[in-house]
């Protein structure tokens, strides 16, 4: 008998000698040939379709087609290359704006602090002078700068009213430089005297104390600039008062320290006197001619308004 499974000739045997199939059962009900497809054929049609679609969607793209990430990378590199100069300019402009805004904010804060400092000192300058410290040194420098600018502004306005030549150099720059030299010389003399007296002090505190006592001089110079329009005599008197305040401030700062504690080479009285003489000499040499000329104009009929 021929085996229907493996086609082996077995004779009258009940089982195949090669594959062991039951030839009797095969004869009565032949065994169907197994489907070469695996168990996937028994799966429902929609299941096989979905799995096939998933497999095809996960398959890699052809080598000649660029991927999405590669396209993004190329586009990013192109954008970076094309916009490099503009991005650099934008960043530099942003940085400049930030720096300018910071400077403006700092200037506003300093002006607010100085205004409150100025108003608090104006009523009691000497008492406030004893309480200032290193943190007020910047206010002292600002006060001295205001004195120099207001003094030069006074001479500039005066020269422009009488029609003198060389207004900017002779009427503004020279008085500005001369007043700054007088103020710096005053600080240097105070520093030298305290060093000779072997007194421990802080230079920044010294500047803050001197600048505190100069606040009334700022007010005097502001009024002097305003009174030029009304009367030269009042204006020149207020200018003289502002320079007298410089001498008063120098002596007040020095005498609030404990002078003559040690046996110095020179008595404290004479050292302070020398400091005043030096400041007066500098004032006379630098601004004396200008002030004397203005006083002469004040005494003239033209000056009596």
């Amino acid at each position: 008998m021929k085996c229907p499974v493996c086609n082996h000739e077995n004779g009258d045997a009940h089982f195949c000698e090669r594959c062991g199939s039951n030839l009797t059962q095969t004869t009565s009900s032949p065994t169907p040939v197994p489907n070469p497809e695996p168990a996937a054929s028994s799966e429902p049609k929609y299941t096989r379709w979905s799995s096939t679609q998933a497999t095809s969607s996960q398959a890699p793209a052809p080598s000649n087609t660029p991927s999405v990430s590669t396209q993004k990378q190329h586009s990013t590199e192109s954008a970076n290359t094309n916009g490099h100069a503009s991005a650099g300019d934008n960043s530099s402009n942003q940085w400049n704006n930030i720096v300018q805004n910071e400077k403006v904010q700092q200037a506003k804060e300093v002006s607010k602090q100085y205004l409150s400092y100025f108003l608090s000192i104006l009523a009691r300058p000497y008492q406030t002078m004893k309480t200032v410290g290193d943190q007020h040194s910047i206010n002292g420098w600002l006060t001295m700068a205001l004195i120099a600018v207001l003094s030069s502004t006074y001479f500039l306005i005066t020269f422009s009213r009488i029609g003198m030549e060389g207004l900017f150099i002779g009427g503004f720059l020279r008085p500005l430089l001369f007043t700054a030299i007088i103020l710096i010389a005053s600080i240097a003399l105070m520093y030298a005297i305290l060093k000779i007296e072997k007194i421990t002090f802080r230079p920044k505190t010294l500047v803050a104390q001197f600048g505190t006592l100069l606040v009334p001089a700022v007010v005097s110079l502001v009024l002097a600039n305003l009174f030029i329009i009304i009367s030269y005599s009042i204006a020149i008197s207020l200018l003289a008062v502002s320079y007298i305040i410089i001498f008063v401030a120098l002596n007040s700062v020095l005498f609030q320290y404990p002078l003559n504690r040690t046996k110095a080479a020179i008595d404290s009285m004479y050292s302070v006197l020398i400091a005043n003489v030096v400041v007066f000499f500098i004032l006379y040499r630098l601004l004396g001619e200008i002030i004397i000329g203005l006083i002469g104009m004040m005494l003239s009929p033209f000056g009596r308004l």
Side-chain angles (χ1 to χ4, degrees):
M1 181 179 291
K2 191 175 183 179
C3 179
V5 178
C6 63
N7 296 326
H8 179 69
E9 190 65 37
N10 296 291
D12 296 332
H14 294 284
F15 295 94
C16 181
E17 296 176 355
R18 178 179 292 179
C19 65
S21 299
N22 192 350
L23 299 179
T24 305
Q25 186 179 359
T26 303
T27 305
S28 60
S29 57
T31 304
V33 179
N35 194 348
E37 291 187 0
S41 61
S42 63
E43 295 179 358
K45 186 181 292 185
Y46 74 89
T47 306
R48 293 200 307 270
W49 180 86
S50 61
S51 62
T52 306
Q53 290 295 109
T55 305
S56 62
S57 64
Q58 294 176 359
S63 58
N64 57 353
T65 304
S67 61
V68 177
S69 60
T70 306
Q71 292 178 354
K72 289 183 178 180
Q73 183 177 1
H74 286 307
S75 61
T76 305
E77 291 178 356
S78 177
N80 290 335
T81 303
N82 295 331
H84 180 72
S86 60
D89 295 338
N90 292 332
S91 61
S92 61
N93 292 332
Q94 290 177 358
W95 175 252
N96 292 332
N97 292 332
I98 291 172
V99 172
Q100 291 177 359
N101 291 333
E102 288 181 354
K103 289 182 179 179
V104 171
Q105 293 298 329
Q106 290 176 358
K108 289 181 180 180
E109 290 297 327
V110 171
S111 61
K112 289 180 181 179
Q113 292 177 1
Y114 182 77
L115 181 60
S116 60
Y117 160 87
F118 187 91
L119 295 176
S120 63
I121 286 175
L122 194 58
R124 298 180 179 274
Y126 186 76
Q127 292 183 1
T128 309
M129 181 266 296
K130 294 181 179 180
T131 61
V132 295
D134 293 354
Q135 68 275 13
H136 297 96
S137 61
I138 183 65
N139 294 326
W141 288 115
L142 287 174
T143 302
M144 287 183 274
L146 283 175
I147 291 175
V149 172
L150 289 172
S151 299
S152 57
T153 303
Y154 174 87
F155 291 113
L156 180 64
I157 295 173
T158 302
F159 289 166
S160 63
R161 284 177 63 85
I162 63 178
M164 293 183 63
E165 297 180 355
L167 290 178
F168 184 72
I169 297 176
F172 187 81
L173 289 182
R174 288 181 63 186
L176 179 68
L177 180 62
F178 294 164
T179 307
I181 292 173
I182 292 169
L183 294 172
I184 293 174
S186 300
I187 295 175
L189 289 169
M190 289 187 294
Y191 182 89
I193 291 174
L194 293 178
K195 282 294 185 181
I196 292 173
E197 295 287 337
K198 298 180 180 181
I199 296 175
T200 303
F201 66 98
R202 291 178 175 272
K204 288 185 178 181
T205 304
L206 185 68
V207 172
Q209 292 172 342
F210 185 60
T212 300
L213 294 177
L214 291 178
V215 168
V218 175
V219 178
S220 179
L221 286 171
V222 171
L223 294 175
N225 282 277
L226 294 176
F227 272 95
I228 292 177
I229 303 174
I230 301 173
S231 173
Y232 280 113
S233 59
I234 298 176
I236 194 66
S237 300
L238 291 171
L239 178 69
V241 168
S242 64
Y243 285 104
I244 292 173
I245 291 174
I246 296 176
F247 289 92
V248 175
L250 184 147
N251 291 277
S252 299
V253 171
L254 286 176
F255 282 112
Q256 63 98 23
Y257 284 97
L259 300 178
N260 204 20
R261 294 189 308 171
T262 60
K263 294 181 179 180
I266 185 174
D267 189 78
S268 301
M269 174 68 183
Y270 297 112
S271 60
V272 174
L273 178 62
I274 291 172
N276 283 270
V277 171
V278 171
V279 173
F280 180 79
F281 178 77
I282 296 173
L283 176 64
Y284 174 76
R285 292 293 296 176
L286 297 181
L287 294 176
E289 296 179 0
I290 300 175
I291 295 175
I292 290 174
L294 292 176
I295 293 175
M297 184 181 63
M298 178 190 68
L299 298 176
S300 66
F302 175 76
R304 296 174 182 176
L305 298 177

